[in-house]
Amino acid sequence: VITVQDVIKPTVVTKNLTVSLDTNGQVSVAATQVDNGSTDNCSIATRTVSKSSFDCSNVGTNVVYLKVTDVNGNIDSASAVITVQDVTKPKVVTKNLTVSLNANGQVSITATQVDNGSTDNCSIASIALSKSSFNCSNVGSNTIWLRVTDVNGNIDSASAVITVQDVIKPTVVTQNLTVSLNANGQGSITATQIDNGSKDNCSIATRTLSKSSFNCSNVGSNT
């Protein structure tokens, strides 16, 4: 009786791989992707990798092992490096805002006010605005950008319109005047004579009086 046995292990040859996470932050590799021409004196039955599924927590280098089993049960393995990368930019979603200047003619906004549910396949590290402070010179529509950076350094941005409005009325301060009619029975005053330090959070455009000319019929007090 001649008993023939195969005791020779497979020759395992691997190759390193670089793979990218998908939009869900997942990626898988197959044993055939890692195998780089493994052989056996008879034939190979199976190839398996010690780890085939990767997610955001695996970004960077990962050592895996390719295990090769031949048809006679002989097994050997070799290592390979799987480099997992995240190249997917964040999805930036913004919303427009309307804000009002304060008593000092200033208003500020935050990135979270403009963000409208931005997402990333892994996670977001930071959000920032191209402009967050506004004053009287910005009254009206202002286009700004929300910049989102994910934990792996991918960046994208989207625009939003910030409408700045001034809804604070001027503070009107007056002073009383006494005027004398001239030789023609006429007298007139100007708005600046009545104004006693009126102010506004932005600036005053005009001052006008409800009545600026007087005659003999107005002798006495006039509101």
Side-chain angles (χ1 to χ4, degrees):
V1 175
I2 306 301
T3 300
V4 178
Q5 59 182 4
D6 173 20
V7 295
I8 298 176
K9 294 179 179 180
T11 299
V12 184
V13 184
T14 62
K15 59 183 174 183
N16 299 330
L17 286 180
T18 297
V19 293
S20 297
L21 297 172
D22 62 19
T23 55
N24 296 314
Q26 306 286 333
V27 67
S28 295
V29 297
T32 52
Q33 291 177 276
V34 179
D35 191 289
N36 196 29
S38 300
T39 57
D40 187 70
N41 61 333
C42 287
S43 61
I44 293 172
T46 61
R47 298 171 176 85
T48 58
V49 286
S50 58
K51 182 175 177 64
S52 60
S53 296
F54 303 87
D55 59 25
C56 295
S57 66
N58 305 120
V59 169
T61 56
N62 302 266
V63 176
V64 301
Y65 289 87
L66 176 66
K67 178 182 176 182
V68 177
T69 304
D70 71 12
V71 291
N72 296 307
N74 299 298
I75 300 171
D76 206 356
S77 62
S79 65
V81 176
I82 308 299
T83 301
V84 178
Q85 60 184 6
D86 171 25
V87 296
T88 302
K89 293 180 178 180
K91 181 179 179 181
V92 185
V93 185
T94 62
K95 59 183 174 184
N96 299 328
L97 286 181
T98 297
V99 293
S100 298
L101 297 172
N102 63 18
N104 296 316
Q106 305 285 335
V107 66
S108 294
I109 60 173
T110 64
T112 53
Q113 288 177 278
V114 177
D115 185 76
N116 196 28
S118 300
T119 57
D120 187 69
N121 62 333
C122 286
S123 60
I124 293 172
S126 64
I127 56 176
L129 295 174
S130 59
K131 182 177 177 65
S132 60
S133 296
F134 303 87
N135 57 33
C136 295
S137 68
N138 305 120
V139 169
S141 297
N142 302 266
T143 299
I144 65 168
W145 295 85
L146 177 67
R147 180 181 179 182
V148 178
T149 305
D150 73 13
V151 291
N152 295 308
N154 299 298
I155 300 170
D156 208 355
S157 60
S159 64
V161 175
I162 308 302
T163 302
V164 178
Q165 58 184 8
D166 173 22
V167 295
I168 296 178
K169 295 179 179 180
T171 300
V172 184
V173 185
T174 62
Q175 59 186 348
N176 299 328
L177 281 182
T178 297
V179 294
S180 298
L181 297 175
N182 62 19
N184 296 316
Q186 302 290 329
S188 63
I189 60 174
T190 64
T192 53
Q193 288 178 284
I194 297 295
D195 192 287
N196 194 27
S198 300
K199 58 185 180 179
D200 186 70
N201 64 330
C202 285
S203 60
I204 293 173
T206 61
R207 298 168 174 83
T208 57
L209 295 173
S210 59
K211 182 176 178 64
S212 60
S213 297
F214 303 88
N215 56 33
C216 295
S217 67
N218 304 119
V219 170
S221 298
N222 299 267
T223 299

